[in-house]
Amino acid sequence: TTKLDANEQAFQELSNCKNLDEIKVIIEKFDGCPLKFTAKNLVFGTGNKNAKIMLIGEAPGAEEDLTGIPFTGQSGKLLDLMLKSIGLDRNELYITNIIPWRPPGNRTPNNVEIKTMLPFIKRQIELISPRLIILIGGIAANSILQKNEGITKIRGNWFNFEKIEVIPIFHPSYLLRNPSLKNLAWKDMLSIKNKIEKA
């Protein structure tokens, strides 16, 4: 089969998936994204498969590549603190990334990689059917919302995706590099808290 056929076949199988485990199996077999061959591990979503809140980041970093778990390491610790500050526990949520393999040297995933993997993330959203999606960082926000704007411009704003309320926030690794933005990040967390309480 040609590469396109293999991709098409994977997307066909994807639409028949009944649960997240089946999606994971398809991604494990999927060879349509070259990042698979340079990464150590597949980093699939983790947490509550019936979560009301879903968090989507961009791609795994070095720590995640080793553990196979999204948002570990320093940025994961900060994310946990951010969630805890509004009474959320990551085990109650579902956390995943647009791209399930680490790009070499932690580079930003390119448009082809994002486009290739987007159907997999959209299917996960369909199956989980959360009430709320938190998009972590600009890549995740622009991929899901089909925008092309900087995270500083769109963070903290509420959008709609397939009838689900969506908010982009700063990526914790960006906050670690720019601590002065933490007050804005806190505002965004309060906005999320407010939304949850009203739901």
Side-chain angles (χ1 to χ4, degrees), residues 11-179:
F11 298 143
Q12 290 277 260
E13 287 176 18
L14 192 59
S15 58
N16 297 323
C17 283
K18 308 276 187 299
N19 57 51
L20 297 174
D21 295 334
E22 290 179 9
I23 294 181
K24 188 179 181 185
V25 169
I26 293 173
I27 295 178
E28 282 169 340
K29 289 191 307 188
F30 184 68
D31 289 347
C33 180
L35 293 175
K36 175 182 182 175
F37 305 105
T38 52
K40 290 187 173 69
N41 281 301
L42 169 72
V43 181
F44 193 67
T46 179
N48 179 359
K49 293 172 182 180
N50 304 306
K52 296 283 173 272
I53 302 170
M54 186 170 177
L55 285 83
I56 305 174
E58 51 188 71
E63 299 247 7
E64 289 85 357
D65 189 31
L66 291 173
T67 59
I69 301 164
F71 288 97
T72 45
Q74 288 306 107
S75 67
K77 284 194 186 100
L78 180 54
L79 181 65
D80 288 350
L81 286 173
M82 289 163 72
L83 294 169
K84 207 170 276 178
S85 73
I86 57 165
L88 296 176
D89 179 326
R90 77 181 280 160
N91 298 318
E92 297 162 13
L93 317 171
Y94 186 77
I95 304 181
T96 189
N97 283 303
I98 300 284
I99 305 283
W101 297 285
R102 180 197 179 195
N106 284 2
R107 69 161 170 76
T108 303
N110 64 41
N111 289 341
V112 175
E113 290 156 356
I114 291 167
K115 204 173 163 194
T116 304
M117 298 314 296
L118 212 48
F120 296 97
I121 208 77
K122 286 184 173 172
R123 188 70 185 126
Q124 289 177 65
I125 294 171
E126 277 174 22
L127 287 175
I128 291 168
S129 184
R131 283 197 203 136
L132 199 108
I133 298 176
I134 301 169
L135 298 170
I136 306 171
I139 298 284
N142 286 326
S143 303
I144 294 293
L145 298 171
Q146 298 295 301
K147 289 187 175 298
N148 194 15
E149 293 182 76
I151 189 67
T152 40
K153 203 168 174 187
I154 56 175
R155 58 138 279 274
N157 291 303
W158 289 94
F159 297 90
N160 215 296
F161 173 78
E162 312 278 346
K163 301 196 175 81
I164 301 166
E165 303 226 57
V166 174
I167 185 171
I169 65 169
F170 288 124
H171 197 289
S173 61
Y174 187 69
L175 291 173
L176 289 169
R177 293 193 302 272
N178 302 279

